[in-house]
Amino acid sequence: MTHTRTRLSFTLTTATLLVTANLYGAVAAHADTGPSEPPGTEPSASAPVKVDPNDPDLKLPEGATLAAPKVLDIKSVVEDQGGEERREDTNTDVTFALQAEVLFAKDSAKLSDQAKARIDAIAQEIKKQHATQVRVFGFTDNLGTHEHGVVLSKQRANAVQDVLSQDLNDPNVTFDVRGYAEQYPIADNSTEDGRKKNRRVEVTFPRTQS
């Protein structure tokens, strides 16, 4: 983008989890994973090193065993001050979320005049990452019927995909386009500010460069 926008940067990092103790009778701890995610978009990182369960430096309570090694995904989130655009970077993927108001008129799937510049910038990042698989998912808030939300969110995802396809002009790039209506909210639907964030189109692709 050619203009400067104030950004609020939130970086959520987690250390690499090499080993965890699985204690008999202990209650398992659950990490806060944040908003729910559509199927197939879960982190897929694997442990970088093999852990020797017989290492004398591992101090486990008597009778405890090691759980399977796992790497928790590292996520960096950058959102502009108005919340109109949100970028998430993980170990494996880049996701852009654009609020529907930035792209479309109310209850419409016709792209606004300012939408193309936003989508063009995302296309440039896709080229930079040399990505050949792109997911474009549409979402709505929880107002109105689910059936209408599914149709509208899919139509909006299709509109964004059409522009991306033209910008990329690459037959090797494949798209997965879906409309999820009010499913998988990222904010509270009980407030208008939350519903505004949930009305969005997300574009996700693998990252190949840091």
Side-chain angles (χ1 to χ4, degrees), residues 44-206:
S44 58
S46 58
V49 295
K50 185 176 181 179
V51 176
D52 180 4
N54 298 315
D55 190 324
D57 291 329
L58 290 177
K59 303 199 181 290
L60 300 174
E62 185 177 353
T65 59
L66 289 176
K70 179 182 179 182
V71 173
L72 298 182
D73 218 20
I74 298 174
K75 179 183 290 187
S76 171
V77 180
V78 179
E79 184 177 284
D80 65 7
Q81 192 170 28
E84 296 176 346
E85 182 174 323
R86 173 186 176 100
R87 173 175 174 156
E88 294 185 5
D89 288 87
T90 69
N91 299 341
T92 56
D93 294 306
V94 179
T95 298
F96 285 90
L98 297 175
Q99 285 185 9
E101 279 80 353
V102 177
L103 303 175
F104 309 98
K106 183 178 180 180
D107 207 32
S108 170
K110 183 178 179 180
L111 288 166
S112 64
D113 292 338
Q114 62 176 319
K116 191 173 187 306
R118 302 260 185 165
I119 300 171
D120 289 348
I122 296 175
Q124 293 306 310
E125 185 65 21
I126 294 173
K127 292 178 181 178
K128 176 183 175 182
Q129 298 293 340
H130 305 291
T132 57
Q133 295 177 314
V134 180
R135 298 192 297 263
V136 185
F137 294 166
F139 304 87
T140 63
D141 57 29
N142 65 347
L143 301 181
T145 67
H146 173 72
E147 292 75 14
H148 177 69
V150 169
V151 172
L152 180 61
S153 59
K154 180 62 162 41
Q155 289 175 337
R156 287 176 166 177
N158 282 334
V160 172
Q161 184 269 330
D162 284 344
V163 176
L164 285 173
S165 182
Q166 293 172 24
D167 287 346
L168 295 172
N169 192 28
D170 185 346
N172 295 317
V173 176
T174 59
F175 292 89
D176 180 9
V177 184
R178 306 183 194 182
Y180 281 107
E182 77 282 3
Q183 297 183 77
Y184 312 109
I186 60 174
D188 186 356
N189 267 314
S190 66
T191 68
E192 177 53 29
D193 285 344
R195 290 191 293 270
K196 187 176 180 180
K197 287 189 174 184
N198 290 332
R199 298 189 293 265
R200 68 198 190 279
V201 175
E202 293 186 357
V203 180
T204 303
F205 46 91

